[in-house]
Amino acid sequence: MTAFRNAVAPDVAADYRARGWWGDVTLLDHVRRHARERPDDAAIIADSGTLSWAAYERAATRVAAALVDASIPEGARVAVILPDSGTVHAVFLGAELAGVTVVGIGARAGDREVRHLLGRTGAAALVSLERHRDRETASLLPDWRPEGGAPIRHVVVPRLDVDPDGPITVDGTPAATTVPAEALEARRVGPDDLFLVNSTSGTTGLPKCVMHTQNRWLYFHQQAVRCGHLDADDVVFSAVPAPFGFGLWTAHFTPAMLGAPLVVAEQFDADRTLALIEAHRVTMLAAVSTQFVMMLNAPSMRTRDLASLRVMFTGGEAVPYERADAFERETGCTVLQFFGSNETGLISGTTLEDPRDRRLRTAGKCIDDMQVRLYSNGRDVTASGRGQPAGRGPATCLGYLDDDAANRELFTHDGWMLMGDICTLDDEGWLTVVGRTSDFIIRGGKNISAAQVEDEVATHPAVALAAAVAQPDPVFGERVCVYAELQPGKTLELEELLAHLDARG
């Protein structure tokens, strides 16, 4: 079982601190500072309400007290399934204070994915709302219980962005929301501890669980500030779900470290996003390519005042040059990207100073601190050429949770962390993505395993053979296309297949 405290090798952590890449503060320290210095300023602006810095800290402290009062032990893993709002960030921050590791699960996750992640991580508790995907969450707990696993203690957290002092219940019973401060301080997560576990799509089977410390995101934040000239005067809108890598730095970490207000919406809608940018004078937008393409196609794109928008960070999939070019022309902002993965963090990126053609047609220059290499047939390409990129440095994760086989595929024999892409690196250090090694379909920035789709489709009694491939799509980049050979005498309509897959979770 992976250690909770000081999960990073001591010599590595000391080296990264000496270089100024890592530090000794956590996100809670930043939020407390803002709550002390400007308590009434907006911290998180969500569909259902706004949290000031003081209210954000208070809500997080009450969540921490509820977790401790529920007898959830220090170092335990607590699954969090919440939409993007002030509540999810208050729960993440409260878990940090309570000394437990968050298991971040997407708000749209299906039953099988939830059950797998609860079982793989050994989650001791679940933090959610009363309903998940239009069903009573309490009624789903038996279906979510891992085979042979312990029952989950169900923690319901109301919308704390409406009322940070609202009730918090554990299994339907009001929880204590005050615990002696010294008891919480003794438990809180440190910058080198196992702060969060989230999921990433594998080429086969169900998602793998990626382990995070806070310090890797501190480093990522430093690079974002450098590349985008970010500061406390920015207003950030993150359209990317909080539990995932892109959402972690754009929504949970960077705004709070800067002291900049964060704008979030529970579900992405292009016209709504444009309205929020105008209403709150957003200066930094974070969105995957599919989302900004949908914004370009939205009727209100030409009627909204988007003059405040200064920079957009994108990624998660290949950035379409023509659409990025059009977004810049329509809004006047500068499009930037970081290239990397949930596992590696960033290995390259573009900056405001880069030539426009390089900025929109490449993945930027490699980050020196990440010691980027290209591997080709197991050989290291040291200068330029074509190969599989890998990095080793302050932005990488800790690896996969309790998964030796997956970690052997993730790491090279000499300790570099591999990505599933094929890239070229020119003599000037510009990285360009030209393909991938993994059998992924990337739909709207989300990796989907073609092999897993094939396996699931093949369970339908009418299907003899199935092959899943990527179908080009002007909005999503790629969509899942399945070729199916049917059993003799059988017929199958798409709606029937979708109903079958839905029934399988």
Side-chain angles (χ1 to χ4, degrees):
M1 187 69 71
T2 301
F4 167 62
R5 294 290 184 195
N6 298 314
V8 185
D11 58 332
V12 173
D15 178 48
Y16 290 173
R17 278 176 169 77
R19 296 173 184 267
W21 297 338
W22 285 10
D24 294 309
V25 299
T26 68
L27 197 71
L28 181 63
D29 296 311
H30 290 282
V31 172
R32 283 176 168 173
R33 172 167 53 86
H34 303 317
R36 182 174 63 252
E37 295 176 353
R38 41 200 184 93
D40 299 326
D41 287 358
I44 304 174
I45 303 166
D47 290 333
S48 48
T50 296
L51 282 177
S52 67
W53 290 108
Y56 185 15
E57 182 192 15
R58 186 166 69 252
T61 302
R62 296 180 70 250
V63 169
L67 294 173
V68 172
D69 182 66
S71 301
I72 298 172
E74 182 178 338
R77 294 166 192 156
V78 174
V80 177
I81 308 177
L82 291 169
D84 285 291
S85 67
T87 299
V88 71
H89 296 286
V91 169
F92 282 11
L93 197 67
E96 175 188 331
L97 180 56
V100 298
T101 298
V102 168
V103 178
I105 302 177
R108 299 295 299 168
D111 293 348
R112 183 179 297 191
E113 182 178 355
V114 174
R115 183 167 59 249
H116 167 74
L117 294 173
L118 293 178
R120 167 62 74 176
T121 60
L126 170 67
V127 181
S128 185
L129 299 177
E130 290 86 350
R131 299 184 68 82
H132 174 73
R133 298 182 67 171
D134 299 323
R135 295 172 295 172
E136 293 289 337
T137 305
S139 70
L140 295 172
L141 289 179
D143 293 336
W144 285 352
R145 181 175 177 175
E147 185 176 349
I152 296 295
R153 180 179 292 277
H154 183 210
V155 181
V156 177
V157 180
R159 297 193 179 277
L160 298 173
D161 36 352
V162 174
D163 179 8
D165 294 311
I168 300 175
T169 61
V170 177
D171 298 329
T173 303
T177 53
T178 56
V179 168
E182 58 273 16
L184 292 177
E185 289 299 313
R187 291 174 54 119
R188 60 179 288 191
V189 171
D192 298 335
D193 297 339
L194 183 58
F195 147 74
L196 181 140
V197 176
N198 66 9
S199 61
T200 189
S201 297
T203 52
T204 59
L206 288 162
K208 300 179 178 68
C209 297
V210 181
M211 299 184 291
H212 302 261
T213 65
Q214 288 210 14
N215 256 331
R216 72 174 301 218
W217 296 108
L218 168 64
Y219 177 79
F220 208 119
H221 165 76
Q222 293 171 352
Q223 295 301 314
V225 169
R226 176 183 66 85
C227 293
H229 298 182
L230 306 178
D231 60 32
D233 292 328
D234 279 302
V235 178
V236 178
F237 185 107
S238 179
V240 188
F244 304 110
F246 194 1
L248 281 173
W249 82 261
T250 57
H252 193 59
F253 281 97
T254 282
M257 288 180 171
L258 292 173
L262 167 69
V263 181
V264 291
E266 292 194 7
Q267 289 188 331
F268 176 77
D269 176 85
D271 284 307
R272 174 67 174 150
T273 297
L274 293 166
L276 290 170
I277 292 171
E278 179 183 55
H280 299 293
R281 310 310 297 158
V282 170
T283 63
M284 176 198 140
L285 171 67
V288 298
S289 298
T290 295
Q291 290 172 320
F292 80 73
V293 169
M294 293 173 72
M295 293 165 65
L296 272 173
N297 295 339
S300 61
M301 184 72 180
R302 280 79 188 166
T303 61
R304 293 291 183 186
D305 177 7
L306 307 176
S308 64
L309 198 58
R310 185 176 64 79
V311 62
M312 178 180 72
F313 282 93
T314 190
E317 58 198 311
V319 178
Y321 171 81
E322 291 79 8
R323 307 303 276 162
D325 174 70
F327 195 87
E328 287 197 345
R329 286 188 279 105
E330 289 287 346
T331 65
C333 82
T334 301
V335 175
L336 301 179
Q337 67 163 309
F338 287 131
F339 173 65
S341 67
N342 194 17
E343 294 91 332
T344 64
L346 77 171
I347 67 169
S348 71
T350 55
T351 75
L352 293 177
E353 290 76 28
D354 290 338
R356 189 170 186 273
D357 191 62
R358 292 287 200 175
R359 183 165 46 75
L360 296 183
R361 291 190 183 276
T362 77
K365 285 196 171 184
C366 293
I367 307 295
D368 290 341
D369 303 339
M370 290 298 294
Q371 306 177 64
V372 178
R373 296 177 173 181
L374 295 181
Y375 285 81
S376 179
N377 297 320
R379 293 184 295 106
D380 178 17
V381 180
T382 57
S384 60
R386 177 187 176 104
Q388 187 178 359
R392 186 177 71 175
T396 56
C397 74
L398 296 171
Y400 297 127
L401 176 70
D402 301 329
D403 196 336
D404 293 340
N407 282 321
R408 283 193 294 271
E409 294 182 3
L410 177 63
F411 290 95
T412 66
H413 69 280
D414 52 351
W416 263 252
M417 190 175 288
L418 288 161
M419 292 185 61
D421 299 277
I422 299 297
C423 298
T424 60
L425 184 61
D426 68 19
D427 293 336
E428 296 179 359
W430 296 94
L431 192 77
T432 303
V433 183
V434 296
R436 65 181 73 118
T437 63
S438 304
D439 196 8
F440 282 138
I441 299 163
I442 303 182
R443 181 190 187 277
K446 182 173 179 61
N447 292 350
I448 299 170
S449 165
Q452 187 182 359
V453 173
E454 293 165 355
D455 289 345
E456 289 299 319
V457 170
T459 64
H460 193 285
V463 174
L465 294 170
V469 298
Q471 173 180 298
D473 186 274
V475 174
F476 291 95
E478 295 177 344
R479 298 187 77 158
V480 181
C481 175
V482 174
Y483 290 84
E485 180 178 334
L486 302 184
Q487 300 283 3
K490 298 291 186 179
T491 61
L492 180 63
E493 298 295 330
L494 177 61
E495 291 74 16
E496 298 175 64
L497 178 59
L498 294 177
H500 171 76
L501 295 174
D502 186 58
R504 287 179 59 80

